[in-house]
Amino acid sequence: MKYDFEQVIDRHGTDSSKWDCGAELLKKGYTTRYDKETIPLFNADMDFRCAPEIIKAMEQVVARGIYGYTSIVDDDYYKAIQSWFFKYNNWKIKKEQIMLERGTITGIVNLIQTFTEKEDGIIIMPPVYSGFRDAIAFTGRTAQYCWLKCNDEPYYTIDFERLEKLASDSKNKAILLCNPHNPIGRAWKKEELNQVIHICRKHNLFIWSDDVHCDLMRTNQKYIPVASICDYKKIVTLTSLSKTFNLAGLYITNIIFEDIEMKEKYVQKCLGASASPFDIVLVKTAYTRCENWLIQLREYLDDNLKWAVERLRRNIPGVKCTMPEGSYIIWMDFEKCGMSEEDVRSRIIDKANVMLSRGIKAAPGKGNYSYRICAGVSRSVLEKAVNRIIEAF
Ligand SMILES: Cc1ncc(COP(=O)(O)O)c(C=O)c1O
């Protein structure tokens, strides 16, 4: 079956965080222009309709008309997850390791609260998804920055010297990995992950790996789950249906613990999520029946990203644009374009009227010239947005 990613679906009037929150964003000062012509590409959710297999499975649950308390009773829920990660990533997961949670950030907050104390340090690698800093600040812990290094390409790598230094400080208890890394799109190679494992083992740090973008790899790239290449017990991996199957509003996250005692401790402290009938059906359907949809989606995203990155690089002198190995996010740095920060902002937001997230959130103090494009949209919308940005420069 051929799936349609070209169709533009009008999401206005659906309480979409992306398409309907202009007034709120203006009020909070997150942007200076938002009207019916604004193209919002700041949010990491896609504008494609879900796989028909998913819609049908949901409809069947809806048609039953009863949505009572539900538990994960049969093993098919776990088997779907186990087979998926084994088939694609050679990662063997036991049923007992898996726990449903209501959202990934909830999972991260709960991990922090269960396994660290107030004011402990959590290492993150900016530029990184701003939800990490928010979770750390919310729990009263301290974010310790191990800034990624970047060359002119631009290609980002881990600063292992700095990581070793931070890890050796006994106040720092965990590293929060992002694999593939939002917003710079790197999928960490085996050698890089091995170095992270080596350093964390040596200094007894937790490795919490947020892998929610892991199924959205470029077709020539590979995602390697950190837990699949070692036996380090302090690894916890957060996986989700959100990004892969465009179900972000349903917050279906599965956390995979390498140490069952850690899972028990988490449950004692934070419970974990109660399952809804939708969660169960969606996990089973997504991981067993939506493979073809995902293959076609990846091809579509590959083309979108290739087109947009090439066009931006060719037409905006000085701009640095990542080509993501995983995810649909492009990270752009306008620092070498010879303009002031305010000029860059105004060209993108006010003139092009494309709403992007600003780098100051992902890269505090360093990302003033950076912006993130989430390119999980139909090609015609992406073309309109990219062309408008180019014209504004
Ligand atoms: C790396 C990463 N982690 C977590 C989230 C949010 O996950 P959730 O909505 O499941 O809390 C996002 C959303 O963009 C993300 O990019």
Side-chain angles (χ1 to χ4, degrees):
M1 175 174 180
K2 178 102 179 79
Y3 299 100
D4 181 11
F5 299 103
E6 293 286 3
Q7 189 193 0
V8 178
I9 300 164
D10 185 3
R11 295 179 66 190
H12 286 109
T14 61
D15 297 313
S16 155
S17 305
K18 199 167 150 182
W19 291 92
D20 288 323
C21 289
E24 189 68 15
L25 294 169
L26 284 166
K27 200 165 97 193
K28 287 188 173 155
Y30 290 152
T31 193
T32 45
R33 182 171 178 191
Y34 202 116
D35 49 50
K36 61 179 187 341
E37 294 305 320
T38 303
I39 305 177
L41 300 182
F42 62 96
N43 230 13
D45 77 2
M46 302 187 284
D47 287 341
F48 307 123
R49 202 183 291 287
C50 291
E53 292 80 357
I54 282 189
I55 297 169
K56 195 162 170 218
M58 292 270 269
E59 280 169 355
Q60 283 169 356
V61 178
V62 170
R64 274 186 234 142
I66 298 178
Y67 317 107
Y69 290 127
T70 309
S71 301
I72 305 173
V73 175
D74 69 40
D75 275 354
D76 288 355
Y77 179 92
Y78 301 103
K79 278 189 193 145
I81 300 168
Q82 290 168 287
S83 319
W84 181 267
F85 285 102
F86 183 65
K87 180 171 175 191
Y88 290 112
N89 315 109
N90 202 26
W91 181 20
K92 285 193 193 129
I93 302 170
K94 292 197 196 83
K95 172 186 164 183
E96 299 70 39
Q97 292 177 249
I98 303 169
M99 196 192 74
L100 174 71
E101 184 51 281
R102 188 63 55 220
T104 311
I105 288 302
T106 306
I108 291 171
V109 164
N110 288 344
L111 285 168
I112 296 174
Q113 274 170 340
T114 307
F115 298 105
T116 67
E117 305 290 333
K118 278 252 178 297
E119 282 159 38
D120 278 350
I122 316 283
I123 302 169
I124 56 173
M125 302 196 291
V128 71
Y129 172 57
S130 59
F132 285 12
R133 267 196 315 134
D134 296 343
I136 295 168
F138 174 76
T139 54
R141 275 56 167 179
T142 312
Q144 295 286 356
Y145 295 163
C146 182
W147 285 93
L148 292 172
K149 298 196 280 191
C150 181
N151 68 14
D152 280 339
E153 195 176 327
Y155 187 76
Y156 284 83
T157 49
I158 298 173
D159 183 345
F160 287 107
E161 227 175 277
R162 169 92 180 136
L163 182 59
E164 173 88 52
K165 193 155 182 277
L166 288 172
S168 66
D169 181 340
S170 61
K171 283 297 281 173
N172 298 332
K173 297 295 190 315
I175 178 168
L176 200 42
L177 273 188
C178 194
N179 187 24
H181 191 101
N182 172 3
I184 54 83
R186 279 293 321 280
W188 305 113
K189 303 261 178 288
K190 194 169 178 185
E191 306 78 66
E192 294 172 305
L193 291 172
N194 274 332
Q195 259 182 284
V196 172
I197 297 162
H198 174 74
I199 291 172
C200 291
R201 229 192 243 274
K202 187 163 139 198
H203 300 289
N204 200 26
L205 259 68
F206 293 104
I207 301 176
W208 297 328
S209 196
D210 175 336
D211 295 12
V212 301
H213 294 271
C214 71
D215 301 304
L216 297 174
M217 299 299 296
R218 294 296 73 67
T219 36
N220 60 348
Q221 295 288 344
K222 202 169 159 36
Y223 152 67
I224 302 171
V226 63
S228 71
I229 56 165
C230 68
D231 59 1
Y232 189 42
K233 287 282 184 213
K234 296 184 88 166
I235 297 177
V236 179
T237 310
L238 299 112
T239 69
S240 170
L241 299 190
S242 293
K243 308 294 169 189
T244 314
F245 299 101
N246 206 22
L247 294 164
L250 299 183
Y251 296 96
I252 305 172
T253 293
N254 281 291
I255 309 185
I256 321 290
F257 291 83
E258 296 311 301
D259 181 356
I260 305 303
E261 280 177 25
M262 268 182 73
K263 181 181 156 196
E264 282 162 8
K265 199 166 167 198
Y266 179 110
V267 174
Q268 271 167 18
K269 184 119 187 188
C270 309
L271 284 178
S274 302
S276 82
F278 294 100
D279 299 330
I280 298 179
V281 154
L282 285 172
V283 165
K284 290 197 239 176
T285 307
Y287 285 141
T288 61
R289 301 190 43 220
C290 296
E291 190 177 350
N292 284 335
W293 180 86
L294 184 58
I295 290 169
Q296 289 178 38
L297 170 70
R298 282 197 204 112
E299 284 166 5
Y300 194 85
L301 292 176
D302 279 0
D303 285 349
N304 259 7
L305 290 159
K306 190 163 176 283
W307 176 85
V309 170
E310 273 174 11
R311 195 155 158 73
L312 287 159
R313 283 180 180 166
R314 198 169 343 111
N315 290 288
I316 306 181
V319 76
K320 274 190 185 182
C321 249
T322 55
M323 180 62 203
E325 295 169 342
S327 88
Y328 43 70
I329 296 167
I330 303 168
W331 178 248
M332 301 183 293
D333 177 357
F334 293 86
E335 189 163 8
K336 297 275 157 58
C337 292
M339 296 166 196
S340 71
E341 252 172 73
E342 172 50 23
D343 196 3
V344 172
R345 190 206 60 76
S346 167
R347 283 170 197 252
I348 296 171
I349 305 293
D350 301 327
K351 204 164 160 201
N353 199 10
V354 180
M355 170 71 189
L356 302 181
S357 37
R358 292 196 66 184
I360 35 181
K361 289 187 81 190
K366 292 197 186 189
N368 301 28
Y369 283 90
S370 297
Y371 289 81
R372 192 182 84 149
I373 296 188
C374 294
V377 293
S378 300
R379 180 63 166 268
S380 60
V381 175
L382 185 65
E383 283 184 8
K384 199 166 163 189
V386 167
N387 289 341
R388 276 208 219 154
I389 293 172
I390 288 168
E391 275 160 32
F393 281 83

